[in-house]
Amino acid sequence: MKALTWQSRGKITCETVPDPKIEHGRDVIIKVTACAICGSDLHLMGGFMPTMECGDVLGHETMGEVIEVGKDNAKLKVGDRIVVPFTICCGECRQCKWGNWSCCERTNPNGKLQAETYGYPLAGLFGFSHITGGYAGGQAEYLRVPYADVGPIVVPEGLTDEQVLFLSDIFPTAYQAAEHCDIGPEDTVAIWGCGPVGVLAVKCCYLLGAKRVIAIDSVPERLALAREAGAETIDLSKENVQDTLMEMTKGLGPDSVIEAVGMESHGADTTLQKVTSAIMEHTVSLERPYALNQAILACRPGGNVSMPGVFAGPVGPVALGILMNKGLTLKTGQTHMVRYMKPLLERIQNGDIDPSFIISHRSTNLEEGPALYDLFRDKKDNCTKVVFKPHG
Ligand code: NAD
Ligand code: ZN
Ligand code: ZN
């Protein structure tokens, strides 16, 4: 089958790879009808995540039709149309029972042990490096879905792939990010990053009752999309974010802040020394790369810092002193997908939201994948979200 693969830092290629097979009784195999590129894939592409290996199949926002079912999977049958969450979890361990699905105890954080060591498949993420299970991803014609009796949801008739595809990741991620803000009816939330996660978070903050949402980015088309979603916007390339936010909130600061940028903002060009001196001199808020620190600086005392943005390894320095002294609450993590997929499917069915508005580019040819990755990374041609339909 054809699949998009990670080759080396900055290099994605479309390759012919072996078709996936059932490896465990609870697996299913799907024929991928739609899959997307996520901002997290850009972190992988940029080489920020450790333990990617040449040839690894990318992709963790995927849906499709079940074509084969493992012998122990009583939940799904051939022909079911399913959305696959980007997290793989067992459904049996303490964390899964507590509803902390992305903290499944069957993960393998040091990336060294093999599934055979335990006798069951590892939890982890699709297409996301060997530190998270080393599973092949879904930017491919077919996908093996482990623990397919836990995470995937069957799509009811009458909904298009594009309406439900983002239940696989960014819609629940945006919703969890908004929920982490503990939003009250008078609240103002500021969001750094108007990528797919940030823009959907604008919508989710309103779904959860925010009075006002302010979104920050430097890409004009993305700021325009955030405005369409109902946000007021700040262009960080033209305005001082800190000063503007203080003006907009009468000197109080937003009640909650969301960091929806991730490693792009803390990338390789930030030396520890440079960031430390920026914090010491209180100039950190003026600098483009430090979305998290800007957010911490802007948030009102006692407020919430919600961080869906993905980071790997030690990242620093973070304005921890300000976080502590202002009594802020920091909430983060990979999204507890199973918690949100069904309720958010209902939101889509009710017509409360149609997340497909963020799609800008569609392709039926995975060979176009590398060029579309470049476009999404470089934010060219008004690219806000790429969706592939590998079988047309
Ligand atoms: P994206 O790369 O498309 O969007 C990021 C946006 O941030 C871009 O529009 C960019 O211009 C903007 N930006 C860069 N530096 C900035 C700064 N200093 N201030 C404000 N904006 C800045 O990515 P996305 O798909 O929207 O994802 C956003 C983040 O969410 C990524 O880190 C991704 O890995 C993460 N994510 C997390 C989860 C989770 O489970 N926690 C799931 C999905 C995505
Ligand atoms: Zn993602
Ligand atoms: Zn588990």
Side-chain angles (χ1 to χ4, degrees), residues 106-271:
R106 291 188 181 173
T107 44
N108 178 21
N110 68 14
K112 294 206 174 79
L113 299 171
Q114 299 299 314
E116 300 79 59
T117 317
Y118 301 96
Y120 46 69
L122 293 172
L125 308 175
F126 289 99
F128 221 92
S129 89
H130 292 264
I131 219 161
T132 59
Y135 286 108
Q139 287 163 7
E141 290 177 308
Y142 298 92
L143 175 71
R144 171 193 166 216
V145 184
Y147 295 123
D149 50 355
V150 180
I153 51 165
V154 177
V155 183
E157 278 183 32
L159 293 169
T160 65
D161 280 11
E162 291 191 358
Q163 280 176 294
V164 295
L165 174 61
F166 302 131
L167 288 168
S168 61
D169 178 352
I170 52 172
F171 183 21
T173 292
Y175 196 86
Q176 177 174 286
E179 224 178 48
H180 280 169
C181 293
D182 201 10
I183 293 170
E186 291 301 309
D187 278 8
T188 297
V189 182
I191 302 176
W192 276 254
C194 299
V197 172
V199 170
L200 283 174
V202 172
K203 289 263 191 198
C204 292
C205 285
Y206 285 125
L207 285 178
L208 286 167
K211 184 173 181 188
R212 203 172 167 200
V213 183
I214 303 169
I216 300 144
D217 205 302
S218 60
V219 181
E221 297 87 355
R222 291 180 172 221
L223 288 165
L225 202 59
R227 279 194 293 276
E228 276 170 42
E232 298 162 62
T233 57
I234 301 176
D235 182 341
L236 64 89
S237 68
K238 298 200 174 119
E239 292 169 82
N240 178 313
V241 174
Q242 183 75 6
D243 292 349
T244 311
L245 274 174
M246 287 308 144
E247 266 168 44
M248 291 171 87
T249 58
K250 301 196 169 65
L252 295 172
D255 299 289
S256 290
V257 293
I258 297 179
E259 201 285 6
V261 180
M263 273 179 286
E264 173 172 340
S265 118
H266 290 253
D269 62 337
T270 59
T271 62

Side-chain angles (χ1 to χ4, degrees), residues 37-43 49 60-61 86-87 102 125 128 169-174 176-177 191-199 215-219 222-223 234 236 241 259-266 287-292 294 307-311 332-337 376-377 379 383-385:
I37 306 178
C38 177
S40 301
D41 293 320
L42 298 181
H43 300 329
M49 304 291 287
H60 59 268
E61 298 184 354
F86 76 100
T87 54
S102 72
L125 308 175
F128 221 92
D169 178 352
I170 52 172
F171 183 21
T173 292
Q176 177 174 286
I191 302 176
W192 276 254
C194 299
V197 172
V199 170
I216 300 144
D217 205 302
S218 60
V219 181
R222 291 180 172 221
L223 288 165
I234 301 176
L236 64 89
V241 174
E259 201 285 6
V261 180
M263 273 179 286
E264 173 172 340
S265 118
H266 290 253
E287 302 230 11
R288 185 174 192 276
Y290 316 127
L292 177 60
Q294 280 195 346
M307 192 177 82
V310 163
F311 294 88
T332 184
Q334 303 286 0
T335 305
H336 299 302
M337 294 295 296
F376 182 54
R377 178 196 56 198
K379 299 153 188 72
C383 185
T384 50
K385 192 76 178 175

Side-chain angles (χ1 to χ4, degrees), residues 88-97 100-101 103-107 123 147 150:
I88 299 164
C89 53
C90 77
E92 293 168 349
C93 72
R94 293 181 314 162
Q95 293 282 2
C96 285
K97 292 216 163 91
N100 297 331
W101 304 94
C103 302
C104 176
E105 288 175 341
R106 291 188 181 173
T107 44
Y147 295 123
V150 180

